[in-house]
């Protein structure tokens, strides 16, 4: 699953709109739109802000889920 798909899935789970997530993450709604469409990939600082706003780790957001043995 690509990062834009993960962001969209987490937004849906948290019942957040694109505008709300943009505000929580400190980015513009236009940038959020580009991230969600897959037109742009967020920089690491944006990934950190998105993860914090969505209540997940950066690893979870980018798809590096680490499972315990």
């Amino acid at each position: 699953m690509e990062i834009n798909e993960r962001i969209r899935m987490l937004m849906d789970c948290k019942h957040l709109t694109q505008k709300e997530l943009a505000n929580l993450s400190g980015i513009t709604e236009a940038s959020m739109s580009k991230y969600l469409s897959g037109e742009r990939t967020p920089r690491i600082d944006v990934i950190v802000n998105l993860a914090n706003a969505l209540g997940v780790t950066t690893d979870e957001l980018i798809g590096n889920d680490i499972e315990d043995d």
Side-chain angles (χ1 to χ4, degrees):
M1 182 182 293
E2 298 295 323
I3 190 167
N4 62 319
E5 296 168 319
R6 286 182 182 273
I7 295 169
R8 176 75 66 192
M9 178 188 70
L10 290 164
M11 281 175 56
D12 290 344
C13 289
K14 302 280 184 178
H15 306 290
L16 293 172
T17 65
Q18 177 177 309
K19 183 175 186 172
E20 290 169 332
L21 183 56
N23 288 337
L24 289 170
S25 303
I27 61 175
T28 66
E29 197 172 347
S31 290
M32 181 62 68
S33 177
K34 290 179 182 181
Y35 299 143
L36 291 173
S37 70
E39 186 178 331
R40 287 178 44 188
T41 301
R43 298 182 321 255
I44 188 65
D45 59 317
V46 175
I47 290 173
V48 169
N49 290 344
L50 287 168
N52 287 335
L54 291 165
V56 297
T57 66
T58 53
D59 278 335
E60 290 171 314
L61 189 58
I62 62 174
N64 288 340
D65 298 34
I66 300 170
E67 295 184 21
D68 294 331
D69 292 332

